Amino acid sequence: MLRRPKPTDSEADLLREQEQFLISGTPSTVNVVRRPDKRRGEAGGAEGDSGENGSQRDVVTIADLPDELPSLTPAPPKKSRFKANRVRFEDEDVEQNLDRHDTHISAVLSRIIERDTSSTPISLPAFTGTAFPKVLHRSETDRETPVSSAGGKKSIFARQIAAQRLKEGKTPLLSAAEAGGQIPKPKGLDHPPDTSMDTDQCHATSGPSAVTGSRLLSGQGLEGPGSSAETMRIHQENQAKLQAMSQLEILEEQKKVLAQLDPRLVEFVRSRKAQSISPSTPRRPQDDGAGEECLPGDAIAESDSSSAAGTQQGPPEVEMDKGEEEEELPPPPPITEEELPVKPQKEWVHMDKLEPEKLEWTRDLPAPRRKGTKTAMQARFDFAGTLIPPTDDLPTHLGLHHHGEEPELAGYSLQELFLLSRSQLIQQRCLALNTLANIVTKARAGEYASVLRGGVTSTLLDAGLLFLVRFALDDGVEGAMSAAVQALRALLVSQEDEECMDSTFSWFRGLASFPMLPSAQEEEDEDDKGLEEIMKETPKEKEERKTDHDVASQDVVKGLLRMKLLPRLRYILEVVRPSPRVIQDILEVLTRIARHSSSSATQVLDCPRLMEVVISEFLPTSWAMPSLPLPQSVYGLPLASAMKLLRILATSGRNACARLLNSLGVRERLTRLLSPEPNELLLEQTEALRITTEAYRLWAVAASYGQACNIYIDLYPVLVKALQSVPRALAPSDPLLPLQLQRVLALLSLLTQVTHTAGCHQELQAGMVSSQGSECPPPPPVSWGHVTGLEASLLGHLKGFVKNLDNPVQRESSLALIPAYLVYLEAYYHQFSRQNCFKPVETLQELELLTSEVLLPLLSHSTVQNLLKNLKSCSVVCNLRSSRLGPETTPSLPGLACFSWRDRPGLTVPISPFPLLTALGLLLDTLTGIHKGLSRKFSDLLLSEDVIGYLRGCGQATPTLSHTSAWILRHEHNLLYLLLRMAHRLVPIEPEVAKHTSLYHQVALVLLPWLLPGSEYLAHDLLSTIIFSKDFITEGHSGGPETIELAELQLREETQHPTSPSPQTVGALLREACVQLPSVRGCFLSHLAHLEPAVLDSRDTHLGRNPWVNSQLLPELSGPTLPSDWPFLPLVSLYERMGVSDGGGLQVEELPGGALQAVTHCLQWLLLLEFWREEALKVVPPVAKLARLSCVFLCSSDLFLERPVQRLAWALLRLLTRPSRLDFLDLNVPPPGLASFQDLYSALLAQYEAVSFGDRLFGCWVLLPLQRRYSATMRLAVFGEHVGMLRSLGVTQEQLPIPIERFTSPPEDSLPLLRLYFRSLVTGTLKRCQCPVLYVVALSHLNCFIFSQDAAAQEVETARRSMLRKIYYLTDEVLRGHLLLFRLPQQHSERGFDTYEQLPPIRAKRLESVLGTQDG
């Protein structure tokens, strides 16, 4: 019996066993059958069968083995390209189909064209002495003609023919590369490499197959005999010409030839030439220095353009030193057998002959070198996402080298990682996704900002990372799916952002947060242009019409939700049951999605079985103690991240919170987790503290809606016990002290919200009785009696923490807890003052005791005083940090940019005074509201140098609004508001505080347009109390108007002429405005009435009216609550109500009631601000001020003629046209809200022609944009389309508040405008008596133009001469004299300008030359 082959058998053993098998005659276990040929329609048969054609194919078949190999990878079935074009029907007749496609033989014969062979030479076969050709043997061919001498890879037959020709002494037909070595080099080609005739490469190779000079064509294919001789004759003639030419002439002719040829043909010749040169030929040493000079021009340009393109939209590149150049190394010689890392053995099949070009990959990698771009290289990363410098030579055992385009460089580029992520190998897919996750994490932290050009995150998103990760989530392999989850978490979640937001949870209004939506971008669809509103698509229809890519490019989270991310995550949690790390990542991704918006949170809640799986698996009501600190599976164990997810979902609204508590069983989970002590939860101590902290926070959010208060009654003993253990839990030696602090802060936040809810019980009970339950929420189960017992205990804790400030060991923890205790006390006293059980006398004594024992010692403590010194340095308003390198921000994926927030100044760092000052200001506002006499005791806080310096810095700041700053800016706005509230109480009663009244008013004015959505109540309160308060505008009753009157009187005496036609001085206008301040306040509040619902919602949240709060998710961050130009609001509102048609006319002629009074109050307020609070309006550009004030003339046909409006508008015009402000008035910049100022000016001109009646104020307003430094378009509109208005524009130079020189200097250079000037003067449209200002302007520019002798274009010079001749022959002697003898504008002259008595000699000579030329 024959034995089976073994793995250790050699090839000789296998051959010996095969011979024994054949000798034994044993039948084979397989049958040899003939596979049918499907193309020929043959049928298969056994081995003995034979077809008619005699062709057989042996096929080995094995029993129980299918004929076709199974598909190893899921791939689409192969289809024939030709079969798809053939359509067959069941009832189709084959013969008819053949007849239809068959054609007559004449159609074939008519297309045959015989080739002309008359001139083709006939070659007779060579006579040999052998009867038959000799059989070719490979060994003889290789021995006679080596491969190197045969010109590379050739067939055996071609090499045998070449050897035979060499034996016969004949020269074979050589290619261009082979013939080059046999041609003598002409003298003209002995030049350096940079002047060689070679156009595509300079001496890249040498040897017999390389050509450094010209190429000789073989002449093959030329017709007629003697073609070879003709070729040599042409070559010798070319050589003679080249020898007679210099090197420069050769290069010039070469450029001419290349310019005449088709670039594609030149590229083809170059490519063929490059292929003919052996790539393994060594480079000559003298060519190494050629470097960049021997690169062709197009190659250099391509390199430059590619690097430039990479700067804009390519992948990130590493910044390099510009002074270094690429080090060009010669190509290595071919590898030899000695250099092989593994020596080939004789027993190896087909290894008897080495192929060097196929073994190049086994040689050692060359050293890394810089690219030739000199400025940047493609970024490469290791597996941890760390950027690898291009010159680092890392060892190969790290696994960072691969067979890419640059094998010598370690690391992976983004393109290579994308390619690797689509590999068929699981390990490669996982490796690529994990590396991409690490890169995104570091990019979002800002680690590449200083070394990479371009944003990594935005580049990855543009390249399709989102879709790559989403597809990888559908992978059936758990490893690849886990890597995709990690990449998704790295893209969406920022751990530092979450930690920073959690640290502010216990602050005043720290429960609330902005939705993390991208900034809204209004896009006008082209299909909707010109359609009526009812015909336009709704936003929902537009959203449904967008593709997934369009949605994801605008909003990453919305794009993921559209790609069904939530059901896939539910499947992974429920079915796959991955590792704890993946579960943690999924829960954090869900938390980030819930933060996106209320609709996203609703989708998370509505996803089938998602929340049920999360709550049942990761928030169970019973569990066993894990055996390991890090268990292999967390299913069945409570997780803090799951509880945090529920808290964020509850923040989205009271309905979502109610669903969690009642429908999903979260109420029982809260009771189960908070009833025992953290060390009794059968969990690891760290996880136990975290999950109880999150449980307290979730409970606090529910209590902020007035929900889950019955749990408070049930767990009241537990809460009291937890409060009693606070001093013991905060031991300085406890390693878990930070977690203990967070747990105590969460507990205090819960008690604060429960206190607010209990304070509303009495009001709701009374409201239910009076309204009989309609439109009134039910009273909560907790009443004021349930919370009164906690105040004494918490006050005792506060006193202890204030004393602990003297202990350096406990100082930091005390500073962290004191603000939360102060916020609780504010809630307690605020709600206590509204209860029926409130006793004023006892409460006042209690407040005085609190002030003397706690608050004043706290304020005067050295630790707090040191904190106050950090006010300005930790402020976000005062420190824009615009130049600081921050993390990458992507518009479609907003974040908070809280990288390294513990290591840099800010509101949330331990040395920040903002939490303490905000809580203290909140408590003082409530206490001083109850006990007015306590206000004076805290005046030192407002008068401290640190607070005054901070307020001055805020008054001069202009913070920018974005998601990265809005979430923390609102906390600083709260502090500024509370400081202003304290100033409002102290200014009337404290003279020292009243000295800084203007500073407080300035801060209030700049704070008002900063307030964000959700702070409407603060804006309303500022407008009602401080903004229009006479106490804060001290200039009105301390000699301010009188000072301005004296300044005007002095100005009149100096100028000896009136500066304004108004008979009333500005001082009187200001005095009247101060008297009308209450009416002005009412005017603005009435125009802000549309904000009333938002103000009421903000009030409920701000004052702790929890049962009326609908959501802790703030409104979308679309901009500040009020616009920066809010002082112009009544004017703009009236203009929008009246409406202006396309022709400039008004749609409504009659003004609504109270419009004149509203405009008057608006102008009074603007005048007051411009004189005494100029800094408050610096955020409004001067061109925007002019555009808003223009509404006075556009919103009515006679409003500007009213006397109060006239006086105020004249005063404002004088302010706008002061020399110091006029220089900053740039009308070429579009005003905010308008496409261009020219459009507004066209409406003004039409209105002036229609209703002005020659009004001087309106005339000055129209003349203001006609200054020389502004665009000529507006002057062309006056003298072209609206030339009729020149008859009524009777403003004189004395009435014009702008110097005439701003209209006449520099000289006009617009030839069409000069022609319009000339035409209006000649035709009499522009007269001095009707339009004196523009008459002088036209005279000045025309006089300067006709007598100018500066070099100009022929058209301009012809116009000068023509215009001068026409002026000389004018019949109007007065106009001719004005045009020829004009000298300078003169404001106090009767005519408005001075003239020469006679022409100066140079001008007379110019006139004579022009007239003489005409006569000649």
Side-chain angles (χ1 to χ4, degrees):
M1 181 176 179
L2 299 176
R3 68 180 183 87
R4 295 180 64 84
K6 298 181 179 179
T8 57
D9 291 349
S10 64
E11 188 176 359
D13 296 335
L14 295 176
L15 293 175
R16 190 184 313 110
E17 293 178 6
Q18 180 185 3
E19 185 178 359
Q20 294 177 3
F21 172 76
L22 294 176
I23 293 174
S24 64
T26 305
S28 175
T29 57
V30 298
N31 295 326
V32 180
V33 298
R34 175 172 165 265
R35 176 172 291 180
D37 193 346
K38 296 181 181 180
R39 291 190 178 92
R40 299 182 178 180
E42 298 174 356
E47 183 179 359
D49 299 337
S50 61
E52 297 178 358
N53 52 5
S55 62
Q56 296 181 3
R57 179 179 297 177
D58 293 339
V59 180
V60 179
T61 60
I62 302 177
D64 301 330
L65 187 68
D67 293 339
E68 296 183 358
L69 292 176
S71 178
L72 298 180
T73 57
K78 297 182 179 180
K79 296 181 180 180
S80 173
R81 293 188 305 168
F82 306 101
K83 185 177 180 180
N85 297 329
R86 297 194 297 267
V87 181
R88 295 287 184 268
F89 300 95
E90 295 180 357
D91 56 348
E92 184 177 3
D93 191 355
V94 180
E95 294 183 0
Q96 294 180 0
N97 189 19
L98 181 63
D99 293 340
R100 183 169 62 254
H101 291 283
D102 193 11
T103 55
H104 195 262
I105 192 171
S106 61
V108 180
L109 294 179
S110 62
R111 295 188 180 92
I112 297 177
I113 301 176
E114 188 175 358
R115 183 166 58 90
D116 185 12
T117 59
S118 59
S119 58
T120 303
I122 301 175
S123 300
L124 297 176
F127 293 97
T128 61
T130 58
F132 295 97
K134 184 180 179 180
V135 178
L136 301 178
H137 293 279
R138 181 179 301 177
S139 59
E140 296 180 2
T141 305
D142 294 341
R143 183 172 60 253
E144 294 174 358
T145 57
V147 177
S148 60
S149 63
K153 291 185 178 180
K154 289 189 176 181
S155 65
I156 300 175
F157 182 75
R159 283 184 278 171
Q160 197 275 338
I161 295 298
Q164 183 178 355
R165 286 179 176 271
L166 288 176
K167 288 181 179 180
E168 296 176 358
K170 298 181 181 181
T171 303
L173 293 176
L174 300 178
S175 63
E178 298 164 355
Q182 303 175 5
I183 300 173
K185 187 175 181 180
K187 182 182 71 175
L189 297 180
D190 293 332
H191 41 64
D194 56 346
T195 60
S196 172
M197 284 289 291
D198 220 355
T199 59
D200 55 350
Q201 59 185 11
C202 304
H203 305 291
T205 58
S206 63
S209 63
V211 178
T212 59
S214 61
R215 300 291 182 97
L216 177 62
L217 300 179
S218 62
Q220 183 179 5
L222 295 177
E223 298 181 355
S227 59
S228 301
E230 181 67 18
T231 302
M232 290 302 300
R233 186 187 64 78
I234 295 174
H235 175 62
Q236 293 173 0
E237 181 181 351
N238 291 338
Q239 282 185 339
K241 289 183 179 180
L242 289 174
Q243 290 175 359
M245 298 172 64
S246 64
Q247 297 180 6
L248 295 178
E249 292 174 346
I250 292 175
L251 290 177
E252 186 176 355
E253 291 297 328
Q254 177 188 0
K255 293 179 180 178
K256 290 182 181 179
V257 173
L258 290 176
Q260 295 173 0
L261 295 176
D262 187 359
R264 292 178 295 178
L265 178 61
V266 175
E267 186 65 26
F268 171 73
V269 174
R270 287 175 175 172
S271 62
R272 294 299 299 268
K273 176 181 172 183
Q275 294 174 7
S276 66
I277 299 175
S278 175
S280 61
T281 307
R283 183 172 177 173
R284 296 189 302 180
Q286 59 267 28
D287 293 338
D288 295 341
E292 199 173 0
E293 286 82 357
C294 64
L295 284 174
D298 54 350
I300 297 174
E302 184 179 357
S303 176
D304 295 340
S305 63
S306 63
S307 63
T311 303
Q312 298 177 359
Q313 58 185 6
E317 295 177 339
V318 187
E319 293 289 345
M320 303 293 295
D321 298 331
K322 296 186 178 181
E324 300 184 14
E325 296 186 2
E326 178 185 6
E327 181 185 355
E328 290 290 344
L329 299 176
I335 192 171
T336 61
E337 185 175 354
E338 289 75 14
E339 297 176 351
L340 290 176
V342 180
K343 302 298 184 291
Q345 304 295 327
K346 294 182 179 180
E347 292 81 7
W348 295 357
V349 181
H350 301 307
M351 287 298 292
D352 53 344
K353 179 182 176 182
L354 297 181
E355 298 178 276
E357 67 275 5
K358 295 183 179 180
L359 297 175
E360 287 292 333
W361 65 274
T362 62
R363 102 170 40 242
D364 291 338
L365 292 173
R369 56 189 177 88
R370 299 179 187 271
K371 276 189 174 182
T373 55
K374 301 182 184 178
T375 57
M377 292 187 68
Q378 192 176 38
R380 292 186 172 275
F381 307 88
D382 64 5
F383 299 132
T386 305
L387 187 68
I388 300 177
T391 54
D392 280 9
D393 191 4
L394 300 180
T396 56
H397 71 270
L398 298 177
L400 297 175
H401 295 81
H402 52 87
H403 302 289
E405 296 180 357
E406 299 170 323
E408 71 276 6
L409 296 181
Y412 289 82
S413 65
L414 297 182
Q415 294 93 330
E416 292 165 351
L417 289 172
F418 266 73
L419 183 64
L420 203 63
S421 64
R422 298 189 294 271
S423 171
Q424 295 290 341
L425 297 179
I426 301 172
Q427 293 83 355
Q428 291 183 346
R429 296 202 302 270
C430 298
L431 182 68
L433 290 171
N434 288 328
T435 306
L436 286 172
N438 296 331
I439 292 173
V440 171
T441 301
K442 292 181 180 294
R444 297 198 66 189
E447 295 189 15
Y448 305 137
S450 59
V451 293
L452 286 185
R453 180 190 305 164
V456 176
T457 307
S458 58
T459 301
L460 289 172
L461 288 176
D462 294 341
L465 175 65
L466 200 64
F467 296 91
L468 176 67
V469 173
R470 179 61 188 91
F471 297 155
L473 284 176
D474 294 334
D475 201 315
V477 180
E478 184 177 350
M481 183 176 55
S482 301
V485 172
Q486 182 184 356
L488 184 64
R489 186 258 181 200
L491 181 65
L492 296 181
V493 182
S494 174
Q495 190 65 32
E496 291 188 326
D497 287 357
E498 294 292 333
E499 292 176 358
C500 201
M501 294 186 71
D502 290 344
S503 66
T504 62
F505 183 84
S506 60
W507 292 13
F508 173 61
R509 296 199 65 189
L511 283 69
S513 61
F514 283 107
M516 300 185 73
L517 280 166
S519 300
Q521 298 178 356
E522 293 291 336
E523 298 180 357
E524 181 68 22
D525 197 343
E526 295 182 357
D527 298 338
D528 292 343
K529 290 183 178 179
L531 296 178
E532 299 180 0
E533 290 295 331
I534 194 174
M535 299 295 294
K536 292 182 179 181
E537 289 184 339
T538 61
K540 185 177 180 180
E541 293 174 344
K542 292 181 180 180
E543 190 72 21
E544 293 175 353
R545 192 160 50 90
K546 292 180 181 178
T547 62
D548 292 349
H549 178 269
D550 296 335
V551 175
S553 61
Q554 296 176 1
D555 192 334
V556 171
V557 174
K558 188 179 291 185
L560 287 171
L561 292 175
R562 187 164 179 174
M563 288 187 281
K564 307 298 181 184
L565 174 67
L566 297 179
R568 182 59 185 174
L569 295 181
R570 191 270 313 160
Y571 173 83
I572 295 174
L573 291 176
E574 185 179 19
V575 179
V576 180
R577 302 175 73 88
S579 62
R581 170 68 185 275
V582 178
I583 293 173
Q584 182 73 18
D585 291 344
I586 291 176
L587 294 176
E588 291 180 0
V589 167
L590 291 174
T591 302
R592 174 61 180 86
I593 293 175
R595 286 193 184 275
H596 176 266
S597 61
S598 58
S599 61
S600 299
T602 304
Q603 292 187 50
V604 174
L605 282 172
D606 292 341
C607 181
R609 301 199 311 277
L610 175 59
M611 294 311 302
E612 287 82 355
V613 170
V614 171
I615 294 176
S616 62
E617 296 290 350
F618 309 117
L619 288 174
T621 55
S622 61
W623 63 89
M625 180 73 179
S627 58
L628 298 174
L630 297 176
Q632 299 295 325
S633 175
V634 293
Y635 280 85
L637 294 177
L639 296 180
S641 53
M643 186 64 73
K644 182 177 180 178
L645 170 62
L646 301 185
R647 190 242 300 178
I648 302 303
L649 290 172
T651 306
S652 64
R654 67 164 46 247
N655 293 332
C657 185
R659 288 179 60 182
L660 291 173
L661 292 173
N662 302 323
S663 301
L664 297 175
V666 176
R667 192 186 305 270
E668 293 77 10
R669 267 75 180 178
L670 289 177
T671 305
R672 172 65 181 86
L673 291 171
L674 296 177
S675 296
E677 292 289 334
N679 53 8
E680 301 174 357
L681 281 178
L682 301 181
L683 292 173
E684 196 267 332
Q685 187 65 16
T686 302
E687 185 66 19
L689 289 174
R690 286 175 177 164
I691 196 169
T692 52
T693 301
E694 287 299 335
Y696 278 131
R697 289 173 178 171
L698 172 59
W699 191 2
V701 172
S704 68
Y705 303 128
Q707 300 174 358
C709 292
N710 52 353
I711 307 179
Y712 171 82
I713 300 175
D714 299 337
L715 297 183
Y716 184 80
V718 176
L719 297 177
V720 172
K721 184 178 179 181
L723 284 176
Q724 293 174 350
S725 63
V726 167
R728 299 192 306 270
L730 300 179
S733 59
D734 189 358
L736 300 178
L737 179 60
L739 296 179
Q740 295 282 7
L741 285 174
Q742 292 297 323
R743 181 173 177 269
V744 174
L745 291 174
L747 174 60
L748 293 174
S749 300
L750 166 66
L751 297 179
T752 302
Q753 296 302 325
V754 172
T755 302
H756 278 303
T757 303
C760 300
H761 182 276
Q762 177 180 309
E763 180 182 356
L764 288 174
Q765 190 72 32
M768 175 178 282
V769 173
S770 61
S771 62
Q772 297 181 355
S774 61
E775 299 183 0
C776 182
V782 59
S783 62
W784 186 250
H786 291 101
V787 298
T788 53
L790 298 176
E791 187 264 343
S793 176
L794 292 173
L795 184 58
H797 288 177
L798 178 60
K799 293 179 181 179
F801 289 128
V802 172
K803 293 180 180 179
N804 289 341
L805 292 178
D806 298 326
N807 187 355
V809 179
Q810 299 179 343
R811 182 177 301 160
E812 186 175 349
S813 59
S814 299
L815 283 176
L817 291 175
I818 288 175
Y821 280 93
L822 296 178
V823 171
Y824 168 80
L825 288 178
E826 186 276 334
Y828 176 81
Y829 285 109
H830 173 73
Q831 298 295 342
F832 182 46
S833 62
R834 301 167 55 193
Q835 305 302 316
N836 294 332
C837 60
F838 176 69
K839 298 178 181 180
V841 178
E842 296 180 2
T843 305
L844 294 182
Q845 294 175 353
E846 184 180 345
L847 295 182
E848 291 177 356
L849 192 63
L850 174 65
T851 302
S852 60
E853 293 183 357
V854 180
L855 300 183
L856 290 179
L858 176 63
L859 266 179
S860 60
H861 199 277
S862 58
T863 302
V864 177
Q865 293 299 318
N866 292 332
L867 282 181
L868 291 179
K869 297 178 181 179
N870 302 327
L871 258 177
K872 200 167 183 180
S873 61
C874 295
S875 168
V876 179
V877 172
C878 299
N879 303 298
L880 299 179
R881 297 188 186 94
S882 57
S883 61
R884 185 183 179 92
L885 292 175
E888 291 186 13
T889 55
T890 306
S892 59
L893 189 63
L896 306 184
C898 295
F899 78 106
S900 304
W901 60 277
R902 295 182 179 90
D903 304 328
R904 55 191 176 98
L907 267 66
T908 55
V909 296
I911 62 171
S912 171
F914 283 90
L916 179 61
L917 276 185
T918 304
L920 186 60
L922 188 68
L923 179 58
L924 294 182
D925 184 45
T926 300
L927 297 186
T928 53
I930 300 173
H931 191 333
K932 303 294 191 296
L934 295 178
S935 301
R936 294 177 181 270
K937 296 184 178 182
F938 301 101
S939 60
D940 291 341
L941 177 62
L942 281 181
L943 295 175
S944 64
E945 295 182 1
D946 300 315
V947 174
I948 294 296
Y950 168 67
L951 293 177
R952 286 174 179 166
C954 293
Q956 300 173 358
T958 54
T960 56
L961 180 62
S962 63
H963 277 282
T964 58
S965 59
W967 74 277
I968 200 69
L969 269 177
R970 68 185 186 92
H971 292 293
E972 188 165 358
H973 294 166
N974 289 335
L975 174 61
L976 288 171
Y977 167 76
L978 293 171
L979 291 176
L980 293 175
R981 288 279 300 175
M982 190 181 303
H984 180 252
R985 297 186 187 276
L986 288 173
V987 163
I989 62 176
E990 188 63 38
E992 291 297 324
V993 177
K995 294 180 181 179
H996 303 281
T997 303
S998 59
L999 173 62
Y1000 302 140
H1001 194 238
Q1002 173 72 23
V1003 173
L1005 288 172
V1006 298
L1007 175 63
L1008 187 62
W1010 292 350
L1011 294 175
L1012 302 175
S1015 302
E1016 291 83 3
Y1017 172 72
L1018 306 186
H1020 181 271
D1021 190 60
L1022 287 176
L1023 289 171
S1024 304
T1025 57
I1026 298 177
I1027 298 294
F1028 300 101
S1029 174
K1030 296 179 181 180
D1031 296 333
F1032 284 83
I1033 307 178
T1034 56
E1035 293 85 352
H1037 52 79
S1038 62
E1042 290 77 9
T1043 304
I1044 295 175
E1045 288 177 345
L1046 291 176
E1048 283 188 333
L1049 182 60
Q1050 182 180 1
L1051 180 62
R1052 290 181 181 181
E1053 293 176 353
E1054 292 176 355
T1055 57
Q1056 296 298 325
H1057 71 281
T1059 58
S1060 172
S1062 176
Q1064 196 168 7
T1065 64
V1066 177
L1069 295 176
L1070 288 172
R1071 191 181 298 108
E1072 183 181 354
C1074 292
V1075 174
Q1076 295 292 330
L1077 276 177
S1079 301
V1080 174
R1081 176 179 58 194
C1083 170
F1084 277 90
L1085 289 177
S1086 64
H1087 279 85
L1088 294 173
H1090 63 281
L1091 296 176
E1092 183 179 1
V1095 171
L1096 295 178
D1097 293 340
S1098 175
R1099 182 200 63 181
D1100 294 338
T1101 307
H1102 200 85
L1103 299 181
R1105 296 166 54 84
N1106 289 350
W1108 288 272
V1109 176
N1110 291 320
S1111 175
Q1112 291 293 345
L1113 196 64
L1114 298 171
E1116 182 181 350
L1117 188 63
S1118 57
T1121 302
L1122 294 180
S1124 58
D1125 60 346
W1126 67 270
F1128 300 88
L1129 187 61
L1131 270 179
V1132 178
S1133 300
L1134 180 60
Y1135 173 75
E1136 292 175 349
R1137 289 173 60 189
M1138 298 301 295
V1140 177
S1141 62
D1142 295 337
L1146 295 172
Q1147 295 179 355
V1148 181
E1149 290 293 338
E1150 185 178 355
L1151 282 174
L1156 176 60
Q1157 188 178 8
V1159 171
T1160 303
H1161 291 328
C1162 177
L1163 296 178
Q1164 286 175 336
W1165 179 241
L1166 289 172
L1167 184 66
L1168 189 147
L1169 292 179
E1170 288 287 352
F1171 266 100
W1172 292 330
R1173 299 291 183 268
E1174 184 179 353
E1175 288 293 323
L1177 288 178
K1178 68 179 181 180
V1179 293
V1180 184
V1183 64
K1185 296 179 182 179
L1186 182 65
R1188 270 61 173 171
L1189 289 174
S1190 299
C1191 297
V1192 173
F1193 306 98
L1194 293 174
C1195 61
S1196 174
S1197 59
D1198 56 355
L1199 178 63
F1200 61 92
L1201 298 176
E1202 299 289 342
R1203 184 174 179 81
V1205 176
Q1206 278 267 330
R1207 292 182 300 165
L1208 293 167
W1210 268 115
L1212 289 170
L1213 179 62
R1214 288 178 53 196
L1215 286 175
L1216 288 176
T1217 55
R1218 285 187 299 186
S1220 59
R1221 297 191 179 186
L1222 200 57
D1223 295 334
F1224 295 100
L1225 181 60
D1226 187 5
L1227 301 185
N1228 297 324
V1229 178
L1234 294 176
S1236 66
F1237 187 81
Q1238 284 80 1
D1239 298 339
L1240 176 66
Y1241 189 66
S1242 298
L1244 276 174
L1245 294 179
Q1247 185 77 348
Y1248 183 86
E1249 281 188 303
V1251 300
S1252 69
F1253 302 106
D1255 180 69
R1256 299 297 185 263
L1257 172 64
F1258 205 166
C1260 291
W1261 216 271
V1262 170
L1263 286 173
L1264 175 60
L1266 300 181
Q1267 299 176 59
R1268 175 64 183 88
R1269 70 189 188 100
Y1270 299 136
S1271 173
T1273 306
M1274 292 180 283
R1275 298 191 291 276
L1276 287 170
V1278 172
F1279 285 89
E1281 304 171 9
H1282 303 278
V1283 68
M1285 63 178 291
L1286 299 177
R1287 302 181 185 274
S1288 58
L1289 196 56
V1291 179
T1292 63
Q1293 293 188 38
E1294 290 80 7
Q1295 297 169 345
L1296 185 66
I1298 308 169
I1300 192 65
E1301 290 76 16
R1302 289 184 175 268
F1303 295 87
T1304 60
S1305 179
E1308 184 62 63
D1309 55 0
S1310 174
L1311 187 58
L1313 183 56
L1314 289 168
R1315 286 172 175 165
L1316 290 177
Y1317 284 163
F1318 182 72
R1319 185 179 68 178
S1320 60
L1321 287 172
V1322 172
T1323 58
T1325 307
L1326 180 59
K1327 296 182 178 180
R1328 186 176 63 86
C1329 58
Q1330 296 176 348
C1331 188
V1333 174
L1334 292 184
Y1335 184 82
V1336 175
V1337 172
L1339 286 181
S1340 176
H1341 288 304
L1342 287 175
N1343 181 269
C1344 184
F1345 177 71
I1346 61 178
F1347 288 111
S1348 174
Q1349 299 186 23
D1350 297 336
Q1354 182 64 33
E1355 181 185 6
V1356 176
E1357 183 62 26
T1358 303
R1360 287 175 182 170
R1361 292 176 173 271
S1362 174
M1363 207 173 290
L1364 184 55
R1365 284 195 299 266
K1366 292 178 180 178
I1367 291 173
Y1368 181 77
Y1369 291 113
L1370 278 176
T1371 57
D1372 189 346
E1373 297 290 339
V1374 177
L1375 179 58
R1376 181 177 63 179
H1378 288 173
L1379 286 170
L1380 293 178
L1381 300 176
F1382 180 86
R1383 184 178 181 182
L1384 288 173
Q1386 183 56 256
Q1387 183 176 0
H1388 305 300
S1389 174
E1390 181 182 356
R1391 294 178 298 184
F1393 58 91
D1394 291 339
T1395 58
Y1396 292 104
E1397 295 182 1
Q1398 60 181 3
L1399 278 177
I1402 189 172
R1403 294 193 172 190
K1405 185 176 180 181
R1406 167 72 174 173
L1407 180 60
E1408 292 176 1
S1409 64
V1410 172
L1411 296 177
T1413 302
Q1414 183 188 19
D1415 296 339

